[in-house]
Amino acid sequence: ETGVTQTPRHLVMGMTNKKSLKCEQHLGHNAMYWYKQSAKKPLELMFVYNFKEQTENNSVPSRFSPECPNSSHLFLHLHTLQPEDSALYLCASSQVASSSGANVLTFGAGSRLTVL
Amino acid sequence: GQNIDQPTEMTATEGAIVQINCTYQTSGFNGLFWYQQHAGEAPTFLSYNVLDGLEEKGRFSSFLSRSKGYSYLLLKELQMKDSASYLCAGRDSNYQLIWGAGTKLIIKP
């Protein structure tokens, strides 16, 4: 596989469930990101990992817990979510985080989360 | 505060030209990006401007004016497959991306 792969593509969960989103990149990048995309709103950066170290946590509620076991894999663990957390969760990767030059983000197709 | 403004939705005709505008206010400036996102798909990189002027890449061109805090994406010879959302993002002095809400472009035959 190439690029950035996210699973599952669709997830429906109740507010008391625990689930995880998975992201894998085959690009040799060193930075990985979680974004939240809601309809008609700008992309919201949630977490950034650079060389497996978390460098950004943009005031994200603790019911979202990231994990980055290595530079190729990123998880988002979900627990006790709220209906307003329903959104598309996008994973992305880049050569490194917070650098000059183009440093283009390569995105996955996203995991569509619905919280009932 | 930091902000990116772009129109919510635009409609254009197949074969025509369309210009999608983006104005930005960032703390410092380290580049302006455009991404394309088809419905249900990943955003994909289109262009990066850091100096003033026009960058041409096939049917797509991107323009930047740093003094005006303004960019546009120009799409020529529109095709039905160009129907998508176009995301503008400015990068601030900390190399953080500030995103616009996206412009949904509808192409009509």
Side-chain angles (χ1 to χ4, degrees), chain A residues 79-93:
Chain A
H79 176 51
T80 333
L81 294 192
Q82 304 298 310
E84 59 265 29
D85 297 323
S86 297
L88 182 68
Y89 289 85
L90 291 167
C91 174
S93 69

Side-chain angles (χ1 to χ4, degrees), chain A residues 66-88:
Chain A
E67 179 189 359
C68 188
N70 54 61
S71 293
S72 299
H73 293 86
L74 185 65
F75 295 88
L76 188 63
H77 303 300
L78 314 171
H79 176 51
T80 333
L81 294 192
Q82 304 298 310
E84 59 265 29
D85 297 323
S86 297
L88 182 68

Side-chain angles (χ1 to χ4, degrees), chain A residues 9 35 37 40-45 48 56 58 88 90 97-110, chain B residues 3-4 8-9 30 33 35 37 40-46 48 85 87 91 94-102:
Chain A
R9 290 295 309 275
Y35 278 93
Q37 187 175 38
K40 299 184 179 180
K41 290 186 177 180
L43 289 178
E44 296 176 45
L45 180 63
V48 180
E56 292 280 340
N58 284 358
L88 182 68
L90 291 167
S98 301
S99 76
S100 60
N103 198 33
V104 171
L105 293 177
T106 302
F107 286 89
Chain B
N3 192 50
I4 301 284
T8 303
E9 187 173 299
N30 278 299
F33 295 79
Y35 283 77
Q37 185 178 23
E41 297 184 14
T44 55
F45 170 75
L46 286 179
Y48 166 66
S85 288
L87 310 180
R91 192 165 60 185
N94 293 319
Y95 299 99
Q96 302 301 307
L97 287 174
I98 313 301
W99 293 86

